[in-house]
Amino acid sequence: MTNTPFDGDLSYPASTIARLTAIIELAPMAIVMIDNQGRILLMNKEAEVLFGYRRDELLGRPVELLIPLEFQAGHPALRRNFFTNPRPRRMGAGRDLFGLRKDGSKFPVEIGLNPIETEDSLFVLSAIVDITERKRLENLFRATVESAPTAMVMIDKGGSIVIVNAETEKLFGYSRSELLGRHVEELIPERFRMAHPQMRTRFFAAPEARRMGIGRDLFGLRKDGSEFPVEIGLNPIETEEGLFVLSAIVDITERKRLETALRQTNELLEQRVQQRTVELTAQAEKLRRSNEALERSNIELQQFAYIASHDLQSPLRSISGFVQLLRAEYTGRLDAQADDWIARTVQSIQLMHTLIQDLLAYSRIESLARPLKRLRFRDIFNDAVSLLDAAITEAGAQVTCDELPVVIGDRSQLVQLLHNLIGNALKYHGADAPRVHVSAEHRGNDWVFSVSDNGVGIEPQYYEKIFEIFQRLHNQQEYPGTGIGLAVCRRVVHRHGGKIWVESVRCQGSQFYFTLPERTEYDT
């Protein structure tokens, strides 16, 4: 059925109606056009589906038929006001709107009004969207915030509180009604309030998920006037109504107490260590200097190992667990954007875990070094290929070698060296299946090894850069990685007294070379 001009007392030219009909029928949402009397002149198929009426049941009828009874009386005045000052805008900004179906059911809507002025008259074209699903997701979001185990506070750009949960009421001692609409600065000790609006403005200007107040102590203020230390995570929430910030607030009073106790213990231990160091210094200057150098090295290694294994990996495992649960429970139940965010979070966690492991491997080249021994390099090749068996099979790759010599070296480190070089060749392959070949030749006092491939190649200006830590030539979407593998290779080769370099032609493959000195003594 097509739109046709109403044949009663409506006398709008058929040409005007026909031009608009062709436009609105293609629209992906419900479209209804009315005149200044509120009569429906046009509607599209989507409007029939949304409201449950046939077109001939509505054309020429008052638009109030599509509005719930409790709102019908006030609508004509609102319509007249719009025709007096016509301009494109959302209808009912700041309040909930509802549509009324033929079967009497109500549903939440969002309506955009657009005046259309012709040589004949002024019309209003209304685009109507059913936001039932959006309302359901909003309710789900509020339920999620409410069930969070930490205090959650959402504010708008002006700093007004728009959402709090039960944990917030417990933490700050206010009832929900006392907090909603008030400025968030009322939850901050007075000595910090003056500076906070400026910091809030800076955050809204460049929003990103992060901790608040990195590097300084933060405090909350309860209703009873007491202060307590807090840790706050800021998360920007973009909505059609604007940008909001959701803050997760954790009372860290107990953590601060433990940190103070730990610091005091460390200070006491440090005093005892210093006292003992002074006593040892009196024994021998040479021994003192040696011990100081060893102590500095050990402290640096201990600090790195602690950070990598505890401060990074422990919370990372916790985050990974929660995100995996979120993906298992809610994938497909939220919108596509939420599923994409969850997937990206999982990928980022996996990348962070790989980066930590690579950093540990890089740092341990010297600290976990073993004595150099006589080794068959063919055994090294076999071990590396065995570790890469799944990747080789998946890529349909061919990995071969020539006759390889006996060398002097650290077995585990040489396996890691060859594993990284062959693994890179498998990763950065071109359109053809990867082909990797390992060979060696004797030059002077060195064995020169070559790992060649048919991959994407490397431009000359990057020959040195690729061996530096964290230096990558491709983004994560093209070729995942951490930019540490070749830095590990260079460090292993240097530890064995050799050097490493690359020769390559863009899109024609690469040849990585490294040398291992021919030694007579090797138990070092």
Side-chain angles (χ1 to χ4, degrees):
M1 180 179 294
T2 59
N3 284 302
T4 57
F6 182 66
D7 292 331
D9 60 348
L10 303 181
S11 57
Y12 300 108
S15 61
T16 299
I17 302 297
R19 286 195 301 270
L20 292 172
T21 298
I23 296 172
I24 71 170
E25 197 60 43
L26 298 175
M29 77 271 298
I31 299 292
V32 174
M33 190 178 81
I34 65 171
D35 63 9
N36 59 6
Q37 300 301 311
R39 293 170 297 189
I40 299 173
L41 302 182
L42 292 176
M43 60 186 291
N44 63 358
K45 185 65 177 178
E46 293 295 328
E48 292 182 283
V49 173
L50 183 60
F51 288 97
Y53 285 97
R54 297 192 313 275
R55 220 168 296 201
D56 57 7
E57 294 179 294
L58 288 178
L59 293 179
R61 305 289 299 280
V63 72
E64 281 76 18
L65 285 175
L66 306 180
I67 299 172
L69 183 63
E70 61 267 31
F71 303 116
Q72 288 181 6
H75 188 263
L78 297 174
R79 173 166 41 79
R80 287 192 296 271
N81 289 339
F82 181 83
F83 274 91
T84 301
N85 182 25
R87 57 185 175 83
R89 64 177 176 83
R90 285 175 56 192
M91 178 180 175
R95 57 191 175 89
D96 292 333
L97 301 179
F98 295 89
L100 180 66
R101 296 189 179 93
K102 183 179 179 179
D103 63 9
S105 61
K106 295 192 299 183
F107 59 99
V109 295
E110 188 175 82
I111 302 176
L113 302 178
N114 288 278
I116 297 180
E117 190 168 2
T118 71
E119 58 186 11
D120 309 302
S121 186
L122 178 65
F123 307 96
V124 176
L125 199 65
S126 303
I128 306 165
V129 179
D130 182 352
I131 60 171
T132 300
E133 179 63 14
R134 185 196 306 171
K135 286 292 185 182
R136 185 187 72 80
L137 291 176
E138 287 178 0
N139 292 335
L140 178 61
F141 171 75
R142 289 178 179 273
T144 301
V145 170
E146 186 62 34
S147 63
T150 57
M152 306 291 282
V153 176
M154 179 180 279
I155 65 169
D156 61 18
K157 194 171 184 178
S160 295
I161 299 172
V162 295
I163 294 178
V164 298
N165 64 356
E167 291 297 325
T168 302
E169 295 179 284
K170 295 178 185 177
L171 184 59
F172 288 92
Y174 289 95
S175 67
R176 195 166 311 210
S177 60
E178 290 177 302
L179 288 174
L180 294 178
R182 296 176 69 172
H183 277 81
V184 71
E185 281 77 18
E186 296 188 36
L187 303 180
I188 300 173
E190 189 170 352
R191 62 185 183 281
F192 301 122
R193 288 181 186 174
M194 185 174 295
H196 189 263
Q198 185 177 1
M199 290 186 287
R200 172 165 44 79
T201 299
R202 285 201 299 267
F203 181 85
F204 273 91
E208 61 173 342
R210 62 174 176 83
R211 284 176 53 197
M212 177 181 175
I214 297 174
R216 57 191 177 87
D217 291 334
L218 302 177
F219 295 90
L221 180 66
R222 295 189 178 92
K223 182 179 180 180
D224 63 11
S226 61
E227 295 183 15
F228 58 101
V230 295
E231 186 175 83
I232 302 176
L234 303 177
N235 290 276
I237 305 292
E238 190 74 52
T239 73
E240 294 185 357
E241 297 179 0
L243 181 65
F244 296 84
V245 175
L246 184 65
S247 303
I249 308 169
V250 180
D251 181 353
I252 58 172
T253 301
E254 181 62 16
R255 185 197 304 175
K256 285 292 185 181
R257 186 189 68 78
L258 293 175
E259 286 177 355
T260 299
L262 180 60
R263 184 174 61 253
Q264 292 172 346
T265 301
N266 287 338
E267 289 174 355
L268 179 59
L269 290 174
E270 185 177 353
Q271 292 174 359
R272 293 178 178 176
V273 170
Q274 290 175 348
Q275 181 180 357
R276 183 59 177 164
T277 301
V278 170
E279 294 173 356
L280 293 174
T281 301
Q283 298 176 10
E285 179 65 14
K286 184 177 180 180
L287 181 60
R288 184 189 65 82
R289 291 181 179 178
S290 176
N291 286 341
E292 284 182 346
L294 180 60
E295 183 180 3
R296 284 195 300 270
S297 178
N298 286 338
I299 289 175
E300 290 173 357
L301 289 174
Q302 290 168 4
Q303 289 175 340
F304 179 85
Y306 179 84
I307 292 172
S309 64
H310 184 273
D311 286 7
L312 293 180
Q313 294 200 77
S314 180
L316 191 62
R317 283 192 294 268
S318 177
I319 294 170
S320 178
F322 282 116
V323 173
Q324 293 290 354
L325 286 173
L326 184 62
R327 181 167 66 175
E329 291 294 327
Y330 289 97
T331 295
R333 295 171 61 185
L334 303 177
D335 58 17
Q337 180 66 75
D339 288 347
D340 181 58
W341 285 340
I342 292 172
R344 291 189 184 190
T345 303
V346 171
Q347 292 172 359
S348 297
I349 291 170
Q350 292 171 345
L351 177 60
M352 186 62 179
H353 178 73
T354 301
L355 178 60
I356 292 170
Q357 297 304 316
D358 287 351
L359 280 172
L360 283 172
Y362 183 80
S363 69
R364 289 170 175 168
I365 289 173
E366 297 295 337
S367 61
L368 297 182
R370 300 174 182 176
L372 305 184
K373 296 184 178 181
R374 191 176 183 84
L375 305 167
R376 294 177 66 248
F377 206 87
R378 180 56 186 262
D379 293 339
I380 303 298
F381 173 86
N382 290 339
D383 286 351
V385 170
S386 177
L387 291 172
L388 290 166
D389 181 70
I392 293 171
T393 301
E394 181 179 353
Q398 181 181 6
V399 182
T400 58
C401 71
D402 290 340
E403 188 68 22
L404 299 174
V406 173
V407 298
I408 306 302
D410 182 325
R411 184 185 186 93
S412 64
Q413 291 188 352
L414 292 181
V415 169
Q416 185 176 31
L417 165 65
L418 206 56
H419 175 279
N420 288 359
L421 292 177
I422 297 175
N424 268 12
L426 297 176
K427 181 193 300 184
Y428 299 100
H429 68 81
D432 298 327
R435 296 193 307 275
V436 186
H437 185 70
V438 179
S439 61
E441 66 174 312
H442 193 263
R443 296 182 191 173
N445 296 322
D446 292 329
W447 282 106
V448 180
F449 291 85
S450 168
V451 180
S452 61
D453 63 60
N454 63 334
V456 296
I458 303 167
E459 295 180 358
Q461 63 267 34
Y462 301 120
Y463 285 178
E464 291 297 326
K465 180 179 178 181
I466 59 175
F467 294 104
E468 297 174 5
I469 192 167
F470 298 130
Q471 297 300 315
R472 292 175 43 80
L473 306 184
H474 306 275
N475 59 41
Q476 288 289 341
Q477 286 70 34
E478 291 181 292
Y479 300 103
T482 59
I484 298 177
L486 289 177
V488 169
C489 290
R490 181 170 66 175
R491 198 167 185 192
V492 168
V493 171
H494 286 178
R495 191 243 163 173
H496 284 75
K499 59 182 179 179
I500 187 170
W501 69 98
V502 65
E503 295 176 3
S504 181
V505 177
R506 183 70 173 171
C507 299
Q508 297 184 31
S510 303
Q511 297 80 42
F512 281 85
Y513 297 93
F514 62 92
T515 64
L516 294 178
E518 185 178 31
R519 301 173 185 263
T520 55
E521 73 284 354
Y522 52 89
D523 193 16
T524 60

